[in-house]
Amino acid sequence: ADDYLIFNAFHYRNAALMEKFAVLTGNAEGQKKYHQIAEETKRYWNDTFTDKETGITKNADGSTCDVQGSYSIGLNCDVFADAVKEKAFAHLERTTREGNYTIQSGFFGTGPINPMLSKGGYPEAAQKTITQTTFPSWLYPVTQGATTIWERWNSVLDDGHLSGTMMNSLNHYSYGSVVEYLYRDVAGLKALEPGFKKALITPLMNGKLKYMHMTYDSAYGEYKVDWEILKNGKVTVDIQVPFGCSAVI
C-alpha cells in the first residue's frame, strides 16, 4: 500500500485515541485539540486516498491503489468515511478472494485482515484465509516444518535451506498478530468492561478448523472457551467465566 496512505491512517488513529485519553483525564483543551486534528486528518485521508463513489483506494499521486493492505489498514484505523465504509469492507473481501485467500500485505496490513473481514460480514473469507496453505499464508510455513511464527513466509526454502534474505528470524511476532483474531473472533472473547470484568463471547465456528480450545488469563481470572464440531454435525460448547465476572453469550 502507499506509504502516505498508511502514515496518515495511523496519524488519524493516534489523534482519535489521544482525544479519548483527553476525555478520560478531563483535559478539555486536549480533547478539542485532538478532535480537530483527527477530523482534519480523516477529511484529508478520504479526499486523497479514496474514490468517493467506489470506495477504491488511491495512491498519493492519484493513481489507483486497490490492494488488500490499503483496506485492512484503513478499516482497522476506522478512517474510511461512513459513505464508503461498507464498500471498503467489500473491497477487502474482493482483493483477498482475488489473491486466492493468501496474504498480500506487509506487517502493518496483515494483522487486521481477518478481524476486518469478520467485522465487515465476511467470516467465511477470514476462515479461508486462516486455513490457506498456499504461499504466502500462515499455514504455508507449517507445511515447511515450522513450529513458530517466522519473520517471512519463506524464511525456510522448499529445499530446507534458510533464505539468504537479511532480517530472517524464525521466531518473530509480526505475523503472530493473527492470534488476536483467534481469540476475539474464532473463540469469540471480547471485553465489554475494562479488564474483562464483563465479556461478550460469540464463537465463530469453522467447519475447517473443527474445534477451538482457548484460555485467557484476565485481570479477574481465567476465561475458557471450548467448542467442537462433532462428526455427526452436532456442536459442543463449554464456556468458563471467572468468579465475580459476567458474560453475554
Side-chain angles (χ1 to χ4, degrees), residues 111-128:
I113 290 173
N114 288 49
M116 292 303 103
L117 284 170
S118 293
K119 183 177 181 180
Y122 301 98
E124 291 185 0
Q127 293 166 3
K128 290 180 180 178

Side-chain angles (χ1 to χ4, degrees), residues 22-214:
V23 171
L24 291 171
T25 56
N27 184 349
E29 183 178 345
Q31 188 272 333
K32 182 179 179 181
K33 171 186 175 181
Y34 289 111
H35 176 78
Q36 182 178 349
I37 294 173
E39 289 299 302
E40 290 176 352
T41 304
K42 187 170 187 176
R43 189 180 310 113
Y44 168 79
W45 194 90
N46 281 278
D47 289 346
T48 306
F49 301 110
T50 66
D51 183 290
K52 294 183 179 180
E53 295 297 324
T54 65
I56 290 176
T57 51
K58 300 187 295 183
N59 298 310
D61 62 6
S63 59
T64 300
C65 180
D66 194 31
V67 296
Q68 186 184 47
S70 67
Y71 299 111
S72 64
I73 291 171
L75 289 165
N76 191 50
C77 291
D78 198 26
V79 71
F80 276 101
D82 290 341
V84 296
K85 189 174 292 185
E86 290 305 313
K87 293 179 181 178
F89 279 118
H91 290 316
L92 175 60
E93 187 278 333
R94 173 183 55 79
T95 52
T96 301
R97 173 169 34 85
E98 290 175 349
N100 193 28
Y101 302 99
T102 59
I103 306 302
Q104 309 135 52
S105 64
F107 282 163
F108 289 139
T110 296
I113 290 173
N114 288 49
M116 292 303 103
L117 284 170
S118 293
K119 183 177 181 180
Y122 301 98
E124 291 185 0
Q127 293 166 3
K128 290 180 180 178
T129 303
I130 195 65
T131 56
Q132 175 61 275
T133 58
T134 300
F135 173 86
S137 66
W138 279 288
L139 292 187
Y140 172 77
V142 176
T143 69
Q144 304 302 303
T147 57
T148 55
I149 296 289
W150 295 345
E151 184 173 5
R152 301 178 182 277
W153 302 118
N154 60 343
S155 287
V156 177
L157 304 177
D158 289 341
D159 61 9
H161 289 86
L162 284 174
S163 169
T165 310
M166 295 294 290
M167 298 174 62
N168 189 17
S169 170
L170 297 183
N171 192 4
H172 199 266
Y173 165 73
S174 292
Y175 293 142
S177 57
V178 72
V179 171
E180 180 184 7
Y181 163 73
L182 297 177
Y183 275 80
R184 285 179 53 85
D185 293 283
V186 179
L189 179 64
K190 306 173 183 69
L192 289 179
E193 293 182 5
F196 285 85
K197 176 68 174 176
K198 183 176 183 180
L200 173 66
I201 302 176
T202 56
L204 183 60
M205 298 176 191
N206 182 341
K208 205 165 185 179
L209 287 179
K210 295 184 175 57
Y211 66 89
M212 163 63 73
H213 301 310
M214 182 225 73

